[in-house]
Amino acid sequence: MTNGNKHTRREAIRISALAGGGLAASWSAVSETNSAINQFFKSFAHAAESEKVFSLSPFLKLHPDNSVDFILDRVEMGQGTATSQAMLLCEELNYPVEQVRILHAGVASDYNNSMFQAQMTGGSTSVAEGHEKLRMAGAQIRERLRLAAAQVWKTSVENVDAQAGRLRHKQETGLELTYGELASRAVEIDAPSVELKGWDVHTQVGKRIPRLDAKEKSTGAAVFSIDFAPENSVVAGLIRPPRPGDVLESFDAGLALSSPGVIAVLAASGGVALIAERYWQVKKAIALVQVQWNSSKALRLSTPELEQLHIKASLEDGQSGRSEGDWAGVHRKAEKKLKADYLLPYLAHATMEPPSAAVRFNESPSTKLDIWSSCQSPDTARELVAESLGMGRDDIQFHNTYLGGGFGRRLNPDYIVEAARIAQAAKDKIAGRALQLVWSREDDLQHDDYRPMAACHVLGSVDDKGKLSSFFFRQASQSLLKAFAPMTIQTLAPEWFPVGISSAIGKAAAYFGSSYIALEGVADFPYSCANIGVEYAPVDLPIRVGFWRSVGHSINGFVVESFMDEMAHLAGVDPYRFRRAHLSDTDRRASVLDQVVRNAKWGESLPPGVFEGVAVHKSFESYVAEIVRLSVQDNKVKVHEVYCVVDCGRVVNPTIVEAQMRSGIIYGLSAALTGEVPFVDGKPQVNNFNDYQVLRHDEAPTIHVEILASSEKPTGVGEPGTPPIAAAVCNAIFRATGKRIRHLPINRQLT
Amino acid sequence: MKAMNSQEALKRVRFRVNGAEREVELPEDTPLLWVIREELGLKGTKFGCGSGLCGACTVQLGGAPIRSCQLPLSAVADQDITTIEGLAQDGVLSQLQEAWIQRSVPQCGYCQSGQLVSAAALLRENPSPSSEEIRSHMAGNICRCGAYDLIEAAIQDAARLNAPAEKEQP
């Protein structure tokens, strides 16, 4: 796979770029990738010659029988990458995408997401970052096949037509070959430079092609992480520290060890692991283990104290993310003004599939450790396992599977590192057998890396013309990068790079980059106003936090779009008109807002008891406006309908875009209504879906989605549906009840 | 090491899964979910919560939807169990599954086995369900990806396909 020496210089450049300016990469990295793919062709292709399948690209294997394997660089976790990425390549390749077989890629730098410089699925970037490189890969393979046919027919390449997986001689009818028949020849041919097709001539991209994984997911055939463990595996569970900072002191496994099927109980990965033959044996026996924790350095705070900490921080000076004019002076002198404090809770991800990972140590000299799991960042997983076990990166093979929901949770490979550590610690007890660690739902909810709690202090004023005159926003929350930056930098660094230094660089990146992430969606406050201040106040707590669908936008979308309604109310102006008056006509937010207002017939009469609310937000370069219609009865909210208009630039598959808007809306709505992880004495008070309630079918609104036609470059859809929904709902609730909700979740506020 | 463990009180239980006779010998409190997944090797039925709250483990017991994580082995003796693998007949997908695929209903797909098994049970009971009936019946199957609209649409598609033929218009 990757040769450490060859990539040293490139990786060193990446590290310094990262330390310099956060985790964003420039678009020029895409063209750099194109030439890198070109150079990589030959070495990659030659390596695969022993099998009767030809690797014509890191993304494609061609069989002599003309079947195609598409190697998926991004994990498929519901967002549709298996289909959209394949469509992009097949469009240029001129091969029907319905016929490809999808294989998840292993770890290799060819699959890096240039936005992160790592093999990461997230940030709604798969299509945005990959479309050019995948189309180019398809085009180059097509051209190599045409050249191969031209060789065979001793004609010029202009006389060769490549369509639907077959090559034809344009002049001599009857001269035809399949792609597969030319694979062995094409492999020897360099790709010429080639122009991509125009978007307007696409025959597959842009069409409602049914998802390629729909069939296996409708028959029970799709394999998820929890479904795969090699023959003769053992199963493990792990008892983890109940509080952040709890340290294992002692444990008593007497009863557990004599429980049926139990193989071992041992300290591992900071907790106590129990290994048995089958899951049910683990589940029964693990309850019998008595564990003593030393809590002297653990978090002992409860939610009211955590909230107070955040609120206090939100009232003190923070790091500036934006500063224009004199917001403080203008606000002080203003007649019509408002001060508002918003509070958002810790949120769990609650993916449908609880985390799991299977690992096996091998005697084989090439792959010392195999890992089977599903993950949004397999290279980080491999790196942390390698570091933890004192192995080389190339000693480890990572096999990715379908992922039963990511939402940002599976960017953190903690469950994979745990499995490896347990297997390592129990090596003599399991004697070469694979070990599968399975998390329960309770484990998943209690040991998640939560969406951070946030306290937002907001000030605003309007002038006598009803226009915004000042806007100030300060968010206090835990930094997401504190844990993630060091692990990511370490992943990118060459193997010889000292872990201590990566860690230090990571901490620096976290310090400089944290406000960038925390303030996303508010630092770019789009409404016209001469006096703006935006700040971030980091809160230092040991609670594990991570990326939760739309990240900083999940907080800032709610606060900004709620506050805009509050300002509209202060100015005595309709919420849509107020926003519209502060947006330029060329702002893409204005277009989606105008369209959703048309679709929902905003302002027209509604059935009795039904009220509407609006919100618009840009995230991950896409623009989404939502209007909600709901009723409030007996202090319960019933959301009837959501109208959604999205501008995500050029669209690969409209069915998938619509599904992602619905998905983001339902996910955000669920959290807004009932989502929170309360803490008592440092312990998260959640167990299962009885107390972490999520939106069910009988509570779901009907969702109408329209995709605005656009010739802008394709941008993300996995997350952008989420940021506006909580504000749209609370804005409607205000109209219904006169009550302004600034503290989520909603169900606590309406009683 | 194994000799130290207490003996499992095993029970021999016979039952039918997707029309085929099966026999297992396991502790009688083993949840059917784990019998299906680990003993029978049918991985389509999923583990989502272990508490009967999420619906991912839904199978049919005599045609009725049940949460297999809550049903002990002892309760299935001589019973008919249908899992997701049993919705297709002789390799031919059910109309419900075809509708599912046409609509691209699944996203991550993890809850979908449970959704389909629940939906199939609904249509057998009530071939022409209203929107409200669908939502009420399916409320026990959580979908974190939010595919509810399309789940309902696919159920309606399948219901329409099975509706009695309309009289010819003159």
Side-chain angles (χ1 to χ4, degrees):
Chain A
M1 292 287 169
T2 55
N3 180 326
N5 294 333
K6 192 163 72 165
H7 293 270
T8 292
R9 183 172 164 273
R10 206 197 296 172
E11 281 157 355
I13 291 169
R14 282 195 195 124
I15 292 162
S16 49
L18 247 133
L23 291 176
S26 71
W27 286 105
S28 64
V30 174
S31 52
E32 187 198 42
T33 314
N34 288 341
S35 52
I37 287 177
N38 213 357
Q39 278 165 31
F40 195 78
F41 276 155
K42 277 191 185 150
S43 59
F44 202 93
H46 283 298
E49 258 168 79
S50 52
E51 316 160 275
K52 269 278 181 178
V53 61
F54 298 94
S55 292
L56 288 173
S57 155
F59 302 106
L60 190 132
K61 293 186 189 188
L62 180 56
H63 297 254
D65 67 358
N66 209 26
S67 63
V68 159
D69 298 334
F70 174 74
I71 314 302
L72 177 61
D73 54 343
R74 300 284 157 261
V75 75
E76 169 58 72
M77 50 189 182
Q79 86 287 45
T81 49
T83 304
S84 50
Q85 307 293 76
M87 283 172 73
L88 286 160
L89 187 144
C90 286
E91 177 64 63
E92 287 286 346
L93 179 61
N94 289 351
Y95 186 94
V97 71
E98 296 91 342
Q99 292 175 22
V100 305
R101 179 172 143 223
I102 307 291
L103 299 177
H104 267 102
V107 177
S109 62
D110 308 283
Y111 304 115
N112 276 1
N113 181 330
S114 61
M115 299 289 288
F116 308 112
Q117 306 282 12
Q119 189 170 342
M120 220 177 258
T121 306
S124 303
T125 55
S126 298
V127 167
E129 185 269 348
H131 73 92
E132 202 176 301
K133 118 176 81 132
L134 288 165
R135 286 186 293 144
M136 183 57 73
Q140 288 178 326
I141 297 167
R142 182 195 72 225
E143 290 309 300
R144 289 161 75 198
L145 287 163
R146 287 181 71 216
L147 284 166
Q151 267 179 20
V152 169
W153 295 328
K154 296 191 173 45
T155 184
S156 73
V157 73
E158 286 78 34
N159 283 333
V160 178
D161 190 35
Q163 289 299 333
R166 310 182 73 83
L167 298 125
R168 288 182 314 108
H169 194 300
K170 286 182 188 170
Q171 263 88 55
E172 296 193 39
T173 52
L175 272 187
E176 260 190 44
L177 286 165
T178 67
Y179 286 7
E181 284 168 318
L182 284 161
S184 58
R185 193 178 273 268
V187 135
E188 300 295 332
I189 298 173
D190 283 347
S193 75
V194 52
E195 296 268 315
L196 295 177
K197 296 180 196 176
W199 284 91
D200 300 314
V201 308
H202 287 162
T203 58
Q204 299 187 79
V205 165
K207 303 289 182 288
R208 291 181 179 276
I209 291 177
R211 290 180 67 117
L212 300 181
D213 54 353
K215 184 173 176 183
E216 53 187 323
K217 289 176 177 177
S218 302
T219 56
V223 175
F224 295 85
S225 170
I226 198 173
D227 299 324
F228 185 83
E231 291 272 347
N232 199 28
S233 297
V234 298
V235 184
L238 182 66
I239 303 171
R240 298 172 184 81
R243 301 177 183 82
D246 270 338
V247 174
L248 180 64
E249 203 163 61
S250 64
F251 66 95
D252 180 356
L255 274 175
L257 276 168
S258 57
S259 193
V262 173
I263 295 164
V265 181
L266 64 160
S269 201
V272 181
L274 185 142
I275 303 171
E277 296 288 341
R278 292 194 296 274
Y279 177 79
W280 191 241
Q281 293 168 335
V282 171
K283 172 86 178 163
K284 289 186 83 170
I286 208 164
L288 303 173
V289 180
Q290 310 271 7
V291 185
Q292 279 75 47
W293 302 96
N294 183 326
S295 303
S296 59
K297 297 209 171 70
L299 181 79
R300 304 308 294 259
L301 301 178
S302 304
T303 292
E305 294 157 306
L306 294 168
E307 288 177 343
Q308 280 314 306
L309 261 171
H310 281 79
I311 292 168
K312 182 167 181 292
S314 76
L315 298 173
E316 290 162 2
D317 288 343
Q319 300 166 8
S320 175
R322 184 166 170 188
S323 180
E324 283 153 31
D326 174 25
W327 66 266
V330 171
H331 189 265
R332 201 181 313 119
K333 297 186 201 106
E335 278 178 24
K336 279 192 171 172
K337 61 189 175 191
L338 196 59
K339 191 189 323 188
D341 291 286
Y342 295 79
L343 195 53
L344 294 89
Y346 289 102
L347 292 174
H349 292 82
T351 59
M352 211 58 217
E353 180 190 8
S356 68
V359 302
R360 186 186 62 205
F361 289 98
N362 304 312
E363 294 306 315
S364 145
S366 57
T367 302
K368 300 214 181 79
L369 180 72
D370 278 299
I371 304 174
W372 296 269
S373 187
S374 50
C375 183
Q376 290 175 244
S377 50
D379 56 348
T380 305
R382 184 183 71 166
E383 171 59 26
L384 295 181
V385 169
E387 189 223 342
S388 190
L389 269 48
M391 297 176 85
R393 290 172 182 173
D394 290 336
D395 295 335
I396 300 170
Q397 276 254 38
F398 187 95
H399 312 274
N400 215 346
T401 67
Y402 284 124
L403 172 50
F407 311 128
R409 167 62 180 98
R410 302 296 228 272
L411 281 170
N412 189 342
D414 52 334
Y415 52 104
I416 296 168
V417 178
E418 283 178 350
R421 283 189 182 146
I422 294 168
Q424 168 93 304
K427 230 174 177 175
D428 54 343
K429 303 219 165 55
I430 62 178
R433 298 170 76 179
L435 179 142
Q436 184 182 39
L437 173 68
V438 177
W439 285 40
S440 66
R441 178 58 59 189
E442 290 79 6
D443 292 339
D444 173 62
L445 290 173
Q446 290 164 4
H447 300 282
D448 196 348
D449 49 356
Y450 303 117
R451 199 286 308 268
M453 174 178 278
C456 299
H457 182 63
V458 190
L459 292 97
S461 59
V462 290
D463 61 21
D464 52 11
K465 294 186 189 64
K467 298 293 288 286
L468 275 179
S469 50
S470 69
F471 173 75
F472 176 78
F473 173 106
R474 185 189 292 123
Q475 185 204 104
S477 64
Q478 289 180 244
S479 159
L480 288 178
L481 292 188
K482 203 164 156 212
F484 279 90
M487 86 169 69
T488 305
I489 303 254
Q490 188 187 320
T491 303
L492 307 186
E495 240 175 322
W496 50 261
F497 205 78
V499 169
I501 300 185
S502 322
S503 182
I505 295 176
K507 290 196 171 90
Y511 180 76
F512 290 111
S514 284
S515 67
Y516 174 79
I517 295 224
L519 297 178
E520 56 187 357
V522 64
D524 64 348
F525 185 78
Y527 300 106
S528 54
C529 180
N531 308 285
I532 296 178
V534 176
E535 288 182 11
Y536 169 61
V539 173
D540 194 13
L541 282 166
I543 294 172
R544 262 181 20 145
V545 293
F547 297 88
W548 187 97
R549 195 174 202 166
S550 80
V551 196
H553 297 276
S554 73
I555 294 163
N556 303 329
F558 168 64
V559 177
V560 169
E561 285 300 294
S562 294
F563 193 71
M564 280 303 283
D565 249 49
E566 296 205 53
M567 288 286 99
H569 185 72
L570 189 64
V573 180
D574 167 88
Y576 158 62
R577 300 232 165 275
F578 185 73
R579 284 172 173 79
R580 201 53 186 82
H582 289 82
L583 290 171
S584 97
D585 286 343
T586 54
D587 191 321
R588 288 161 77 182
R589 290 171 186 81
S591 318
V592 292
L593 197 53
D594 290 344
Q595 189 59 34
V596 80
V597 152
R598 275 193 285 271
N599 291 352
K601 298 188 166 54
W602 172 270
E604 291 181 28
S605 70
L606 290 164
V610 178
F611 297 87
E612 54 191 3
V614 66
V616 61
H617 194 80
K618 170 193 173 188
S619 67
F620 309 99
E621 308 299 317
S622 292
Y623 302 78
V624 177
E626 290 166 12
I627 287 176
V628 156
R629 284 194 189 158
L630 55 77
S631 306
V632 182
Q633 243 176 2
D634 303 320
N635 288 326
K636 256 216 114 197
V637 177
K638 175 88 176 122
V639 182
H640 305 294
E641 286 175 283
V642 179
Y643 289 83
C644 171
V645 174
V646 54
D647 174 359
C648 56
R650 293 197 186 269
V651 167
V652 176
N653 189 321
T655 301
I656 289 177
V657 172
E658 287 168 5
Q660 286 315 292
M661 287 302 115
R662 293 199 178 92
S663 185
I665 285 167
I666 296 282
Y667 199 77
L669 179 59
S670 181
L673 292 172
T674 55
E676 73 169 318
V677 177
F679 279 77
V680 171
D681 188 31
K683 293 190 205 176
Q685 302 299 299
V686 282
N687 292 293
N688 209 307
F689 289 119
N690 53 334
D691 44 31
Y692 196 80
Q693 289 180 5
V694 297
L695 202 75
R696 291 167 180 275
H697 199 147
D698 58 345
E699 301 157 318
T702 303
I703 302 175
H704 314 275
V705 182
E706 179 178 337
I707 305 169
L708 274 196
S710 169
S711 51
E712 298 287 343
K713 62 184 199 284
T715 50
V717 295
E719 293 162 288
T722 299
I725 191 67
V729 170
C730 288
N731 291 343
I733 290 173
F734 178 73
R735 294 172 129 213
T737 65
K739 187 178 160 91
R740 168 52 61 181
I741 292 176
R742 295 180 182 156
H743 186 174
L744 295 178
I746 290 166
N747 74 340
R748 286 174 141 278
Q749 304 306 314
L750 283 182
T751 48
Chain B
M1 198 44 90
K2 281 280 206 70
M4 287 177 64
N5 301 108
S6 62
Q7 284 300 93
E8 284 185 296
L10 303 176
K11 189 144 190 233
R12 188 167 293 181
V13 178
R14 263 206 201 109
F15 54 108
R16 282 170 300 284
V17 178
N18 301 331
E21 282 288 336
R22 306 303 293 252
E23 185 181 281
V24 303
E25 197 170 344
L26 287 170
E28 62 176 2
D29 68 344
T30 309
L32 180 61
L33 171 64
W34 297 106
V35 176
I36 290 171
R37 286 183 61 84
E38 289 184 314
E39 201 64 23
L40 303 182
L42 295 169
K43 302 288 186 178
T45 308
K46 303 302 187 196
F47 167 62
C49 72
S51 293
L53 295 164
C54 76
C57 69
T58 309
V59 300
Q60 292 174 12
L61 176 69
I66 56 113
R67 313 302 177 209
S68 63
C69 73
Q70 298 298 289
L71 196 70
L73 179 61
S74 56
V76 306
D78 297 321
Q79 299 292 321
D80 275 289
I81 303 293
T82 309
T83 69
I84 177 69
E85 289 91 348
L87 290 193
Q89 294 292 325
D90 299 314
V92 177
L93 298 184
S94 65
Q95 278 171 335
L96 189 62
Q97 287 167 303
E98 290 289 359
W100 230 254
I101 295 163
Q102 277 311 303
R103 290 264 186 187
S104 288
V105 175
Q107 293 187 29
C108 86
Y110 197 75
C111 77
Q112 297 287 288
S113 298
Q115 303 280 356
L116 277 154
V117 170
S118 287
L122 168 66
L123 288 176
R124 185 186 295 113
E125 272 275 311
N126 181 355
S128 237
S130 66
S131 171
E132 195 151 334
E133 285 167 331
I134 291 173
R135 284 154 169 269
S136 172
H137 179 93
M138 300 298 290
N141 290 89
I142 295 173
C143 174
R144 290 295 281 150
C145 297
Y148 296 128
D149 273 359
L150 290 187
I151 288 171
E152 188 173 329
I155 293 171
Q156 297 284 22
D157 288 348
R160 260 193 297 276
L161 282 171
N162 282 319
E166 300 289 314
K167 281 206 179 118
E168 290 280 340
Q169 294 296 323

